Amino acid sequence: MNKTLIKILIGIGCFVIVIVVGSIFFFKNLISLKGDEVVQVALNSNYEEKGAKTNFIDDDNIKITGEVDNKKVGTYKIKYEVKFLGIKVDKYRTVEVVDREAPELTLKGGETVNVCGDAKYEEEGYTATDSYEGDLTDKVKVEEKDDIIFYTVEDNSGNKTTVRRYINRDDKEAPKLTLVGSSTSSVVLNSKYSDPGYKVSDNCSEKVDVKVEGKVDTSKTGNYTLTYTATDEAGNTTTVKRKVSVVKKTSTSSGSGSIPGNCVIYLTFDDGPSKTSTPKILEILKKKNVKATFFVINHSSSLDYLIKQEYQEGHTVALHSYTHNYKTVYSSKTAFYNDLKKIQDKVEKLTGVKQMITRFPGGSSNTVSRNYKKGIMSELTKEMKEKGYHYFDWNVSSGDAGNVKTSDAVYKNVTKGISTKRSNNVVLMHDFENNNKTVNALERIIDYGLAKGCKFDKIDMTTPMVTHGVNN
Ligand code: ZN
């Protein structure tokens, strides 16, 4: 081979190399991505396609394929492809869907907890949830250091959450002190008062000191307050009070125990509240500045506001019955007490008072109960007193639930029944829908009583019971 040929061959070789390298370079750069080659997208946010461009052909000829599921953590490829002179050229973008949200960790119990002395804190529990991975409670790590408990949880993407719970070793919790028996009770004049006592407990102290202050002087009628104060070893105290009334001996409808010149009238309204009558009764009582007693039963909760209003305006909301259904109430003692408890709970919910003043449906002298349970009234009247209830019958009847049709007749029955020599006129009237005869007689009845020098009062736990003879 001569030198010229070698030179030519080298020249051709160089030319071919330049062409090949140039072509590779050209095709490799035929497509370029807009935006980064690796893109991160937070879970549930949208991946925005920025596209690609090319210098020699229209960008619209670029075919883009591949999908990004933004609800699933992972790596996705997007392919950009273009054909030029019959040659396919492609380029890829990497899209990473990532979870950046830390799990949520919630403590059961307080962030600061009280523990006595060196006692161990009893873990109250916790929950951890991740918006992507779900329940991670099992992955929570718990560490305690210097009375701080650290709860840490990490999700698969490395997002971490730590919460702390602080242990307080000073006893700041007051003892629990509750009275045995009712917080209001009464005792008959010149009898012996025996206190039912209390129950006390404390979170830390084994020894809790309880002092009872106050005295019930049963030789004098009146209201007495007993104050119970419990003190634990750390000096936290709890105080509760009991009101005890010393009352004159229970009187009966015959009117024994009457004191001349000491006329008191207790207006009582049964079977309410009622949408039409209660507001009118309350308005008259307010106008005349007279307090009365409502023996309520259960009506629709839409009338609850009337019970609240009775209480707020200073009247006594007493218990009559939940159902006022004789067959239900007098079928057994259990049925009776169930019914009573339901109306007692309702009144307590509405007024905050655990009421112990009651009136039997039909009165304690009713005979209707014989149809359902023989002898039930004899047992109930005895037991109710033992349980601390004060039940009231009446000694003046308006007759407004019976044959009486006019307000004149209501007025006549009541005024005829009132004895100005009696300190315990208990007047039975009714608060049912549209009982206009009673509503219309009410103001005149009050005027009559006032003119006769009588005082109007509501029944409370100091009012001597007025009861009928029992007939069953
Ligand atoms: Zn009734």
Side-chain angles (χ1 to χ4, degrees):
M1 260 205 281
N2 65 38
K3 282 181 179 178
T4 317
L5 188 61
I6 289 170
K7 274 180 187 168
I8 290 167
L9 284 176
I10 288 172
I12 291 171
C14 286
F15 179 72
V16 168
I17 286 168
V18 166
I19 293 293
V20 168
V21 170
S23 300
I24 289 173
F25 185 81
F26 172 77
F27 281 107
K28 210 169 181 267
N29 291 290
L30 191 61
I31 301 179
S32 59
L33 297 181
K34 292 183 189 168
D36 296 334
E37 234 168 277
V38 179
V39 176
Q40 278 199 347
V41 175
L43 205 59
N44 295 317
S45 356
N46 284 333
Y47 161 65
E48 195 198 329
E49 178 55 61
K50 290 202 165 130
K53 61 178 187 236
T54 167
N55 294 323
F56 297 90
I57 44 175
D58 195 333
D59 290 353
D60 291 347
N61 292 322
I62 302 172
K63 201 173 135 204
I64 305 175
T65 51
E67 294 219 1
V68 175
D69 182 353
N70 67 349
K71 293 191 167 32
K72 217 172 143 191
V73 168
T75 304
Y76 301 86
K77 294 272 185 200
I78 306 287
K79 186 179 181 188
Y80 304 81
E81 193 176 36
V82 73
K83 243 181 184 176
F84 186 68
L85 302 173
I87 298 173
K88 269 189 190 174
V89 178
D90 56 24
K91 196 139 208 176
Y92 290 87
R93 193 198 308 272
T94 304
V95 180
E96 296 172 357
V97 174
V98 294
D99 175 15
R100 292 190 187 130
E101 225 171 283
E104 213 168 280
L105 212 163
T106 313
L107 298 182
K108 291 178 188 163
E111 197 185 294
T112 303
V113 289
N114 297 318
V115 170
C116 300
D118 294 330
K120 206 177 139 21
Y121 167 66
E122 292 245 358
E123 182 55 53
E124 289 164 279
Y126 43 80
T127 52
T129 43
D130 187 66
S131 59
Y132 182 62
E133 291 166 41
D135 188 7
L136 296 183
T137 305
D138 288 346
K139 285 185 145 189
V140 176
K141 283 192 186 123
V142 183
E143 276 174 313
E144 190 180 331
K145 206 184 163 211
D146 299 332
D147 283 342
I148 303 173
I149 308 172
F150 298 87
Y151 303 81
T152 308
V153 65
E154 191 175 342
D155 69 14
N156 282 327
S157 300
N159 302 299
K160 212 191 227 182
T161 301
T162 301
V163 297
R164 295 151 196 240
R165 192 189 317 259
Y166 300 88
I167 298 178
N168 172 28
R169 296 194 180 273
D170 304 330
D171 177 13
K172 283 183 179 157
E173 230 172 272
K176 286 197 176 71
L177 178 63
T178 51
L179 295 178
V180 175
S182 173
S183 61
T184 55
S185 71
S186 67
V187 58
V188 173
L189 188 65
N190 292 323
S191 65
K192 196 176 165 288
Y193 173 71
S194 62
D195 194 84
Y198 53 82
K199 277 186 195 147
V200 70
S201 64
D202 189 67
N203 65 325
C204 286
S205 306
E206 270 177 40
K207 211 182 134 276
V208 181
D209 188 45
V210 181
K211 272 204 180 79
V212 184
E213 285 165 302
K215 226 193 125 216
V216 179
D217 182 358
T218 56
S219 70
K220 251 166 89 180
T221 58
N223 297 322
Y224 299 87
T225 303
L226 297 174
T227 305
Y228 308 70
T229 307
T231 309
D232 68 13
E233 284 164 335
N236 303 303
T237 65
T238 302
T239 300
V240 295
K241 288 175 196 277
R242 191 192 317 265
K243 289 206 168 111
V244 182
S245 307
V246 176
V247 298
K248 290 186 202 108
K249 203 168 155 35
T250 302
S251 58
T252 62
S253 58
S254 60
S256 65
S258 62
I259 301 162
N262 192 21
C263 171
V264 182
I265 299 170
Y266 298 94
L267 299 176
T268 68
F269 299 91
D270 284 15
D271 301 353
S274 64
K275 198 170 183 217
T276 49
S277 304
T278 311
K280 293 179 190 165
I281 293 169
L282 285 173
E283 199 185 310
I284 296 166
L285 294 174
K286 194 184 233 176
K287 182 181 163 197
K288 306 304 284 186
N289 193 24
V290 159
K291 301 292 179 245
T293 304
F294 293 85
F295 288 95
V296 298
I297 63 177
N298 178 52
H299 288 286
S300 147
S301 57
S302 67
L303 298 183
D304 285 354
Y305 72 98
L306 290 168
I307 291 184
K308 283 188 187 165
Q309 195 184 338
E310 287 166 1
Y311 176 73
Q312 279 158 7
E313 296 187 359
H315 306 292
T316 294
V317 178
L319 316 177
H320 194 25
S321 170
Y322 193 81
T323 60
H324 206 295
N325 180 322
Y326 295 128
K327 194 181 167 188
T328 306
V329 171
Y330 294 134
S331 62
S332 71
K333 286 200 287 181
T334 313
F336 173 83
Y337 288 118
N338 282 344
D339 175 272
L340 182 69
K341 181 161 185 339
K342 274 162 87 179
I343 191 67
Q344 186 180 46
D345 288 349
K346 176 164 180 166
V347 167
E348 185 173 8
K349 208 182 99 211
L350 294 172
T351 67
V353 176
K354 190 182 178 192
Q355 187 54 272
M356 299 294 283
I357 297 167
T358 72
R359 174 172 282 161
F360 289 104
S364 68
S365 57
N366 79 77
T367 51
V368 68
S369 56
R370 284 184 204 156
N371 300 332
Y372 310 110
K373 183 97 186 165
K374 249 192 117 206
I376 192 169
M377 294 316 299
S378 306
E379 291 183 38
L380 287 176
T381 48
K382 186 168 164 271
E383 275 185 20
M384 286 286 277
K385 283 188 223 168
E386 286 165 0
K387 285 175 189 275
Y389 287 96
H390 289 194
Y391 72 86
F392 283 81
D393 290 309
W394 55 90
N395 49 31
V396 180
S397 178
S398 67
D400 67 351
N403 296 326
V404 170
K405 296 274 185 287
T406 64
S407 64
D408 282 346
V410 169
Y411 175 80
K412 215 176 264 174
N413 280 341
V414 173
T415 54
K416 226 168 63 191
I418 289 171
S419 164
T420 55
K421 292 185 189 129
R422 196 158 57 190
S423 65
N424 58 359
N425 292 284
V426 177
V427 181
L428 172 66
M429 293 185 282
H430 288 83
D431 174 12
F432 47 70
E433 294 295 348
N434 301 310
N435 188 10
N436 291 323
K437 55 188 184 296
T438 296
V439 169
N440 293 332
L442 184 56
E443 190 164 350
R444 288 155 68 202
I445 291 170
I446 295 171
D447 287 339
Y448 169 88
L450 294 173
K452 292 284 177 187
C454 297
K455 207 182 108 191
F456 285 85
D457 206 352
K458 61 180 174 182
I459 292 172
D460 64 20
M461 289 301 281
T462 70
T463 310
M465 271 164 62
V466 169
T467 58
H468 293 167
V470 172
N471 295 311
N472 175 34

